[in-house]
Amino acid sequence: DDAYIRAKFNDSMEPFLLQLKKRFTMYEAGYFLPLGSKHSMRIYELLKMREDISILRMTVEELRDILGVTDSYEYFSQLKAHVIENARKEIREKTDIHFTYDVEREGRTAKRIKFFIHQGEEERPEKPKMEDRTEAPNIDVMDVFLSDLTQEQIDALSQERLDKLHERAAQQAEQEVPNRSKSVKQSVTLQRMKTLWDNLQ
């Protein structure tokens, strides 16, 4: 009755253990456990991973694979109605976040889905109708750039490095299109950020 086992983590594990809070998604069980659908649970986890940047973009096939429905819901309309919409309603009713989303298509085929993550009662502004839009919308360059990175890449990218990348890209855009509108400069800045990032990899 007085026997015991003594164990300790190897010292080489220290860097990983010290980054547990950063590397793993944190959420309260009180929000997660009431979710009745496994699909709602998985989507909630995915959204919490990107809560800081408010956007999660992935292909429809990636979403199918993550949710384990690669052989179910043959048509996207079925996936949307039975999985995405059900999760959207349940997550809004039972958790600390909710989401809206856009479907990006190639022709009539749904290829990618972009989730917009909201906290509390925050809502994403309704898109203006095309006939009401008098100028190109502003682009949140940082958010759009980060939305194309993996979670691992985001974790490895410090705020200082991100700011410097954006600053350098903005300078290049100003030199290339000095007399163009703000939205054009933002678009060029985004493209230059992606180019600079690809060159660093």
Side-chain angles (χ1 to χ4, degrees):
D1 292 337
D2 57 356
Y4 63 91
I5 296 175
R6 175 181 292 172
K8 71 180 295 288
F9 285 105
N10 187 287
D11 291 340
S12 62
M13 288 291 293
E14 181 177 345
F16 302 100
L17 295 173
L18 292 176
Q19 296 188 59
L20 282 179
K21 186 173 182 180
K22 176 181 177 183
R23 296 291 183 179
F24 289 84
T25 304
M26 305 291 289
Y27 52 80
E28 294 185 25
Y31 291 125
F32 180 78
L33 294 179
L35 295 173
S37 164
K38 63 180 181 180
H39 300 320
S40 296
M41 290 179 171
R42 192 67 186 101
I43 290 176
Y44 177 73
E45 288 180 321
L46 291 172
L47 298 181
K48 290 296 284 186
M49 288 173 64
R50 290 297 186 98
E51 185 178 11
D52 289 344
I53 62 172
S54 303
I55 294 178
L56 170 63
R57 183 173 181 264
M58 62 175 58
T59 67
V60 173
E61 291 307 311
E62 286 173 335
L63 180 62
R64 286 182 179 276
D65 184 56
I66 289 171
L67 298 178
V69 293
T70 53
D71 298 323
S72 307
Y73 309 110
E74 179 181 359
Y75 300 105
F76 178 76
S77 58
Q78 297 172 332
L79 179 71
K80 178 180 175 181
H82 297 292
V83 176
I84 300 173
E85 278 299 315
N86 284 345
R88 185 181 67 81
K89 294 173 184 176
E90 189 175 22
I91 288 172
R92 184 182 184 99
E93 291 173 359
K94 300 178 180 179
T95 76
D96 55 334
I97 61 172
H98 58 282
F99 70 90
T100 52
Y101 61 95
D102 282 343
V103 179
E104 300 176 8
R105 297 178 180 273
E106 293 181 6
R108 298 179 61 184
T109 304
K111 287 293 185 179
R112 287 165 294 278
I113 184 166
K114 182 180 288 187
F115 294 95
F116 299 91
I117 306 158
H118 312 287
Q119 299 177 344
E121 295 302 315
E122 173 195 358
E123 283 287 359
R124 182 175 174 232
E126 183 178 352
K127 287 183 176 179
K129 297 178 180 179
M130 290 303 295
E131 59 267 27
D132 295 336
R133 187 176 292 166
T134 56
E135 62 179 16
N138 286 334
I139 301 172
D140 191 326
V141 176
M142 292 286 205
D143 276 357
V144 177
F145 173 75
L146 290 171
S147 70
D148 287 332
L149 302 185
T150 65
Q151 187 65 36
E152 183 177 358
Q153 288 173 321
I154 291 174
D155 287 341
L157 183 60
S158 68
Q159 186 63 48
E160 181 182 3
R161 188 181 180 194
L162 179 62
D163 290 340
K164 287 183 178 179
L165 195 66
H166 178 263
E167 181 181 359
R168 185 177 174 190
Q171 290 173 348
Q172 291 182 1
E174 184 62 38
Q175 292 174 354
E176 292 179 34
V177 289
N179 300 317
R180 301 297 296 275
S181 67
K182 179 180 178 181
S183 60
V184 171
K185 290 180 181 179
Q186 288 174 327
S187 179
V188 174
T189 298
L190 176 60
Q191 294 304 317
R192 296 300 164 264
M193 280 190 75
K194 291 180 178 180
T195 300
L196 291 169
W197 172 258
D198 288 341
N199 292 339
L200 291 173
Q201 303 310 299

